[in-house]
Amino acid sequence: MPVPAFADIGKAANDLINKDFYHMSQATLDVKLKAPNGTNVTVKGKQGFDGTTSGSIEGKHTLKPQGITVTQSWTTASLLDSKVELNDIGAPGAKIDLQNLWNPSKGNSAVQKINLAFKNPNVHSRAFINYAQANGNIDAVIDVVAGHEGFLVGGEAAYDVQKAAVTRYGLGLAYQTPAYTASLHGMQNLNIIAASYYQKVNSAVEVGAKAGYDVQAQKASGLELASKYKLDPLTFAKVKVNDRGIAALAYSTKLNTGTTIGLGISLDTQKLNEAGHKIGTSLTFEG
């Protein structure tokens, strides 16, 4: 299996627990289109049940012979995001991303980012360099993961140039196979320890669990269990529960080749007779 990035160690369990539950307490609409010239256009919108509405539009075009991808997006918060991705620069597996974030309605709001990555069958390393125009500061995050026969070990560190200090570091260990993955993360300067487990039981059933421990407070910081059942090739249902008594259900079905609908509900099992339960819907069009 390929070596994941540091942030993706344990990704299978995190996706099972978190993905598809995002539309709780809101209605979301995604429209994905492909222009004749190959540009992918994505329009997203969501409305929370508190009445808050937001959206974004993104255009993404890839020049395949050159290995260059250009992405431009705009959100209703007036954020312009311009990104150029250069693949296989200098060597296979090397990648450079140049990104500029800017809000025209706010002075000195621009942020420039340079992301560097290198990936081969045994190593996945990345560096993120950020420059904020507002304070003139530069910070960087570097992470690396090495793997051998399913065993993974990795670490990350954040450095603030203005402070001349390491502001964050973490470590990760994992063992992955096509059927299951077990991982252990030390985050926030090793103050939070998180363990996760994911298993594909068969072609229809997946299960996962995630638990955390706060070292400073010397107490558990959360436990979540989730399962996914594929009803047919186009439909699945998911359920998850946590140690606070919150249970969530999600259902997704592909109505046709271009339309997917999702439904979700979150219940506080300790307060079933009270308000505060959440429901949500999502609708995705692809063409």
Side-chain angles (χ1 to χ4, degrees):
M1 295 182 65
V3 175
F6 181 79
D8 293 334
I9 293 179
K11 184 177 185 295
N14 288 331
D15 283 352
L16 182 64
I17 292 171
N18 298 317
K19 197 175 179 181
D20 304 309
F21 295 103
Y22 70 94
H23 50 67
M24 298 298 181
S25 295
Q26 63 187 21
T28 67
L29 173 66
D30 292 358
V31 179
K32 302 176 181 179
L33 304 172
K34 190 168 186 176
N37 66 351
T39 300
N40 294 298
V41 179
T42 303
V43 180
K44 296 183 178 182
K46 65 180 179 180
Q47 182 177 44
F49 291 153
D50 59 356
T52 304
T53 302
S54 62
S56 66
I57 181 170
E58 176 188 280
K60 187 173 186 177
H61 186 76
T62 300
L63 303 173
K64 292 184 179 179
Q66 296 83 2
I68 299 174
T69 300
V70 180
T71 305
Q72 178 66 62
S73 66
W74 174 85
T75 72
T76 50
S78 297
L79 181 65
L80 293 172
D81 184 351
S82 306
K83 186 176 182 180
V84 178
E85 302 171 60
L86 309 174
N87 295 292
D88 296 328
I89 299 298
K95 182 181 178 182
I96 300 176
D97 297 348
L98 307 174
Q99 187 175 15
N100 182 74
L101 301 170
W102 178 48
N103 188 332
S105 64
K106 297 181 180 179
N108 295 327
S109 64
V111 175
Q112 285 81 42
K113 298 174 177 283
I114 300 176
N115 304 328
L116 311 174
F118 177 74
K119 183 178 181 181
N120 65 26
N122 297 313
V123 175
H124 195 156
S125 59
R126 305 182 304 173
F128 306 91
I129 304 169
N130 309 310
Y131 170 73
Q133 191 179 64
N135 55 19
N137 190 38
I138 299 175
D139 63 81
V141 178
I142 298 174
D143 64 43
V144 61
V145 177
H148 180 68
E149 296 184 351
F151 290 96
L152 303 172
V153 59
E156 71 165 359
Y159 184 80
D160 189 302
V161 174
Q162 198 171 53
K163 297 178 181 177
V166 174
T167 57
R168 186 183 79 246
Y169 58 86
L171 297 172
L173 299 170
Y175 181 73
Q176 63 177 12
T177 73
Y180 67 89
T181 301
S183 67
L184 186 66
H185 263 98
M187 304 176 294
Q188 299 179 23
N189 303 339
L190 306 184
N191 288 319
I192 299 294
I193 306 298
S196 66
Y197 179 80
Y198 164 86
Q199 182 173 356
K200 188 171 184 178
V201 180
N202 53 46
S203 59
V205 179
E206 300 171 49
V207 296
K210 186 176 181 180
Y213 183 79
D214 190 321
V215 176
Q216 289 188 331
Q218 296 186 353
K219 66 176 183 180
S221 60
L223 173 65
E224 294 179 286
L225 305 173
S227 181
K228 177 179 179 179
Y229 179 68
K230 188 179 290 186
L231 302 170
D232 58 53
L234 303 177
T235 307
F236 67 82
K238 293 177 71 172
V239 58
K240 73 172 180 178
V241 296
N242 63 28
D243 57 345
R244 302 187 305 278
I246 305 298
L249 304 172
Y251 173 85
S252 176
T253 185
K254 201 164 188 176
L255 302 178
N256 52 49
T257 55
T259 306
T260 302
I261 186 171
L263 304 171
I265 182 171
S266 176
L267 304 171
D268 188 336
T269 60
Q270 299 180 4
K271 302 176 181 178
L272 290 176
N273 296 325
E274 300 180 18
H277 308 304
K278 301 176 181 179
I279 60 174
T281 61
S282 68
L283 189 61
T284 302
F285 295 102
E286 297 182 60

